[in-house]
Amino acid sequence: MTSWLKHSRVVYIFSNLLVLPAILIPSIDLISNISFFIAFIFFLNSNVFLSLVLCAAIIIKNNSNYRFNLLLIHKGEEVSKTDYECVYLYAWCTLLRYFLIGLAVNRVFIFFE
């Protein structure tokens, strides 16, 4: 039981560290949506499978973001800052945003190389 508590705390702390840059960047959701379109255009010409992966990632990100907003309304803003479920869901959304932004930046660098 003790190891599960330590593991849970480690995941909770890691999740909070993961979302710190996303909190500081204004409009990160807009940036990730724009990155999706850029990466989708570049991947459509070269790799259709990765274009489908990008479409799945944007759908999952938007669904997770919608669920996070519902959870935020349900739990309240003050309680959600320390709630495990809210932190994990926001970390998942942030990870998907980083994925979309990273793929777009990668394709732009490869294109202009």
Side-chain angles (χ1 to χ4, degrees):
M1 182 74 176
T2 308
S3 66
W4 172 249
L5 288 174
K6 288 180 183 178
H7 175 70
S8 178
R9 287 182 186 153
V10 168
V11 172
Y12 179 76
I13 291 169
F14 178 72
S15 298
N16 277 321
L17 291 175
L18 181 71
V19 300
L20 279 178
I23 292 171
L24 298 175
I25 299 171
S27 305
I28 189 155
D29 200 38
L30 177 67
I31 294 170
S32 68
N33 288 338
I34 292 170
S35 298
F36 161 74
F37 287 116
I38 292 170
F40 184 77
I41 290 169
F42 282 123
F43 278 123
L44 192 60
N45 293 333
S46 62
N47 195 341
V48 177
F49 177 72
L50 282 176
S51 297
L52 293 175
V53 170
L54 276 172
C55 289
I58 193 82
I59 290 169
I60 293 170
K61 180 196 73 78
N62 287 337
N63 187 4
S64 299
N65 196 28
Y66 175 72
R67 289 178 181 266
F68 173 73
N69 289 333
L70 287 178
L71 190 63
L72 188 67
I73 291 169
H74 176 69
K75 298 235 178 182
E77 213 165 302
E78 289 302 317
V79 174
S80 67
K81 290 179 183 176
T82 58
D83 185 51
Y84 282 98
E85 190 176 5
C86 291
V87 171
Y88 292 158
L89 190 55
Y90 190 71
W92 173 246
C93 293
T94 304
L95 188 63
L96 289 171
R97 288 179 186 126
Y98 291 160
F99 175 72
L100 292 171
I101 293 170
L103 280 178
V105 168
N106 182 14
R107 293 311 291 180
V108 168
F109 279 141
I110 289 173
F111 181 74
F112 288 115
E113 217 174 45

